[in-house]
Amino acid sequence: MKKVLIVGAGAQANVLCGVLSGAEEVSTIVLTDIDIKRAEGIAETNGSPKIQTEVLDASDIDAMTRRIQDDSFDLVINATIPKFVRQVLQAAYNGRTNYLDMASNEIYPKPDTPIEQLDYAEQWEKAGLLCLTGAGGDPGLSNIMAKDAVDDLDTVESISIKDFGEADCDEPVALWSMRTYLEDMYLPSTQTIDGKPVKCPMFTGEEEYDLPEPFSKKGKFYYHDHEEGVTIPLFCGKPVKNCDFKIGEPGIDMWRFMIQGLNMMSPEPLEFPGGRVSPMEMMFRLIPETASPRKQIELYDSGRLESRLILVCDTEGTKNGKKILIHQYTKSPSGKEACAWIKGTSDVSWMTSIPASVFALMILRGQVKHTGVVPPEVFTKEEREVFYEGIGEWGISVIKTRKELNGRK
Amino acid sequence: MKKIMVLGVGAQGSTIAKRLNDEPGVEEIICADYDKKAAEEMGNTLSKAKGVVVNARNVDDIIQAAKGCELIVNGLAPDFNMNVMDAALSVGACYQDMASGPVSDMGFVDAVKRVLGRSGEFEKAGLTALVNTGSAPGFANVLTREAVDMLDSCASIEISVYDGIWSKKFIPFWWSPQTAFGDMAAQPITYKNGEFVRSKPFNNPGMEDFLGLGKRKMVDHEHEEPVTMGLLADKVLKGVSYVNFRYGGPGLDLAEYFYKMGLLSEEPVDVKGTKIVPMDLISKLTPPAPKYPAEIQEVLDEGMITEEGAFLVRVTGKKDGHDLTIDSYVNAPGLTESFEKAKITHESYMTGQSAFLFTKMFVNNKISTKGVFPPEVLAAEERAFFLKEAAKLDITVDQYLYRTLY
């Protein structure tokens, strides 16, 4: 029987607990957070006796190390905000336990380090441990989709990944950490262009894109600071000329107006009658907290919130001398459907943490044959098939079409 | 009228002054503003204008500057309306303004009633005070009355303004952004069966299918028309029982985002121990509406994202026993065309010039009624003069009639 430690009791942990608590081979889930009430809230909503809640500070490497060493965990899942990647990763290593996370905090912190997890690649490899990084929806499922397309081609010209979501509610609601979202929009993003990592200013890479069903409309996209654009060309197994990640939503131009036009994410303090405050501080004060499971249940059940998400991966290259476009997109439950399936979830946490849960179960079942620090695009065809089967059981599927370009898209 | 004061020479006031400068009967225009530079700019560029610094918080200051004027055109925010009306009565001048609210010392409906409530004073002095004279309110009120007069009885009036002028340069609104954001966050007022009904901001979202433009999102919006038309329902609008004002456009979408996030709130919030009013931040960061030709040119040079709009007055009622819907669409130039024609923005072209047309009615002695009233009170021949003059400025109206036969 397997024991899992989850660090961070937010929206992702709610889904992880929902899936892992139902898995036969998982006997114990220790769900931790600096705020015990958050962990207790999830445990209460879930109701499984396998879930134990504890206080744990993700910024405290020693405390986390002691906790991991005190028990014989089979996997540490980092489900807290990306700011604590280095700390949780280090604690898992100290406790010699396999590790999984869903995001990075630093894209190219150094010229030879695409993401901060890779700073530790050598020690994890030597220890024979697995650090599966970027193992959520995007990054995660998106990387698997890209790798699938890469394997279908002889040469790869470009990989373009898109994330489009819409949430309609009569009050401000965050289904994801809005702070992280705004920071990612404000920061320059790194994309692979002509085979090299290139820093792109905020709100560049503007594109109107025809979204597939069920959206069936045009969506506006911009480059976004994400892991796929830098890890996939390095790990997918073939040279890739261009690889980018773009984000879109119906209100993205409003964010552009606020962030780029009005400079509302500026960290420079301004003078007010009450004192000095930066626009960024004011924004962070006013944006909504990520909705709690209880709040999401209330909003979806009352019909006040409707939300849906899609991931798209377009890969261009050649096969047998012909130009090919491989177009892939996800089908997944709407927010309301997700919340009915595992109480307190949304389409966003579903798309992120169902893949994370399946990756976790694959590690626990010994179905991932890798060691060291790796992203999901290293998965073999067999590993990918197991993964697809796993997410399929939870309503996530990928539609894949292939088209000869003949010089035209 | 030989001597006229334009008090407040912002985007609209300066447009009125420029047009007045070309009026043969006008000999002197007192261009008054708190901003010395703005007042002097008018004095230096218009042959008949004299720039004067006036603090409109002080009625005596206005009186001093307005001596000898036969008309005061109030281009200031509605908070100054009472002071300017006092001054007009004191110097024996007619009065014109462009809005009645919102004001800081009372609610919107009461602000409108307070202005109209001074009718007796002006009537007694033999003076005319024409209020709410821009595009909406203003032009919209004239069109409303035109349509209502075609009916035997009136059931509903709905005024819809969609502003889709969106430039690559970040300009959220083409009039005062502080006023605009304040208006957007206000509770809309709808006149229903003799009552003024308040609803939440951004209420009643729906898609309006505008002729030639298509479907656009519109919401209820606080404005003067439902109030004045509700108050005058029986007197001039044939017993109308429903009046609403709707607004839409990218600026509104932005304001809704801000509103939902609490950024338009006037209530201080605690940011790391410092009390800050969110609206103060927005006011500080939002660029002012471009006013001078060089500023407008800069916006046009950077390029436009969308340049579209719609101005619709829909009146329903009965005529000869049949249901009749009358849609009146105003045709007016967009930003590019307005700048090409007159070196002003589309907002000034429509609002400032509409206001000027009402001023022109004063100048040409076309208004006979005394007292305080909005444009829906104007008589048929007075409205005809207004609409003919508007057409000369390429502001025309297409009227569509939809009649249910059986």
Side-chain angles (χ1 to χ4, degrees), chain A residues 162-332:
Chain A
K162 292 181 175 67
D163 175 321
F164 187 89
E166 58 186 14
D168 194 10
C169 188
D170 57 5
E171 68 172 82
V173 61
L175 301 174
W176 185 252
S177 164
M178 202 171 266
R179 184 181 175 126
T180 305
Y181 182 57
L182 294 181
E183 282 173 339
D184 284 352
M185 273 201 271
Y186 177 65
L187 293 169
S189 70
T190 307
Q191 315 292 340
T192 296
I193 298 172
D194 285 332
K196 291 175 190 157
V198 175
K199 285 272 181 204
C200 303
M202 61 173 157
F203 296 106
T204 51
E206 182 175 354
E207 184 181 350
E208 290 252 18
Y209 185 85
D210 285 313
L211 291 162
E213 56 176 344
F215 292 91
S216 305
K217 64 179 180 184
K218 281 194 186 300
K220 174 70 83 69
F221 291 84
Y222 294 98
Y223 285 146
H224 198 67
D225 205 31
H226 239 238
E227 296 80 351
E228 292 94 320
V230 298
T231 68
I232 291 173
L234 296 173
F235 287 90
C236 74
K238 285 187 184 134
V240 177
K241 191 176 173 191
N242 299 311
C243 184
D244 61 49
F245 181 90
K246 293 181 180 181
I247 197 108
E249 58 150 306
I252 198 155
D253 276 336
M254 293 302 152
W255 289 119
R256 182 181 182 185
F257 196 101
M258 289 165 79
I259 295 169
Q260 192 177 38
L262 301 185
N263 212 11
M264 288 183 69
M265 282 290 285
S266 166
E268 294 299 318
L270 299 174
E271 200 72 52
F272 292 97
R276 284 169 67 79
V277 163
S278 74
M280 182 190 268
E281 286 169 326
M282 178 65 114
M283 282 284 274
F284 288 162
R285 166 67 181 76
L286 291 174
I287 54 177
E289 291 265 317
T290 307
S292 66
R294 192 184 296 271
K295 178 76 177 174
Q296 289 184 37
I297 293 167
E298 179 197 320
L299 290 174
Y300 284 122
D301 284 357
S302 62
R304 290 172 58 207
L305 171 62
E306 286 181 21
S307 58
R308 191 174 279 281
L309 175 69
I310 191 169
L311 302 180
V312 180
C313 177
D314 286 328
T315 309
E316 283 186 37
T318 62
K319 181 75 180 176
N320 299 327
K322 290 179 180 170
K323 279 194 166 184
I324 302 287
L325 165 67
I326 296 174
H327 172 58
Q328 298 175 87
Y329 61 93
T330 56
K331 277 193 167 181
S332 59

Side-chain angles (χ1 to χ4, degrees), chain A residues 56 71 105 115 182 184 202 233 305 365 369 393 400:
Chain A
L56 200 56
D71 232 318
N105 190 49
I115 51 175
L182 294 181
D184 284 352
M202 61 173 157
L305 171 62
R365 290 166 180 162
K369 308 292 184 193
E393 289 173 14
K400 185 177 180 183

Side-chain angles (χ1 to χ4, degrees), chain B residues 30-93:
Chain B
I30 305 297
C31 291
D33 204 291
Y34 188 66
D35 178 355
K36 190 180 174 192
K37 188 188 160 200
E40 282 177 352
E41 166 90 10
M42 302 308 295
N44 294 336
T45 53
L46 301 178
S47 60
K48 297 177 185 173
K50 182 183 169 191
V52 178
V53 175
V54 166
N55 179 2
R57 293 188 191 284
N58 184 346
V59 179
D60 290 338
D61 213 14
I62 308 172
I63 292 170
Q64 196 61 35
K67 275 184 181 163
C69 289
E70 294 163 84
L71 170 68
I72 301 177
V73 181
N74 177 5
L76 300 174
D79 266 323
F80 295 100
N81 286 0
M82 288 302 109
N83 280 4
V84 187
M85 288 181 109
D86 286 344
L89 284 166
S90 177
V91 300

Side-chain angles (χ1 to χ4, degrees), chain A residues 168-172 178 182 249-258 260-264 270-279 281-283 285-288, chain B residues 166 169-173 181 200 250-251 253-255 257-263 269-282 284-287 305:
Chain A
D168 194 10
C169 188
D170 57 5
E171 68 172 82
M178 202 171 266
L182 294 181
E249 58 150 306
I252 198 155
D253 276 336
M254 293 302 152
W255 289 119
R256 182 181 182 185
F257 196 101
M258 289 165 79
Q260 192 177 38
L262 301 185
N263 212 11
M264 288 183 69
L270 299 174
E271 200 72 52
F272 292 97
R276 284 169 67 79
V277 163
S278 74
E281 286 169 326
M282 178 65 114
M283 282 284 274
R285 166 67 181 76
L286 291 174
I287 54 177
Chain B
W166 202 242
K169 192 176 173 72
F170 292 102
I171 308 291
F173 296 102
F181 279 127
K200 62 181 181 6
D253 295 340
L254 178 76
Y257 264 73
F258 282 10
Y259 175 78
K260 283 187 170 178
M261 285 178 66
L263 283 163
V269 295
D270 192 306
V271 184
K272 294 186 174 174
T274 304
K275 295 275 186 196
I276 302 290
V277 173
M279 190 64 193
D280 287 350
L281 173 74
I282 295 299
K284 210 176 253 288
L285 294 177
T286 307
I305 296 169

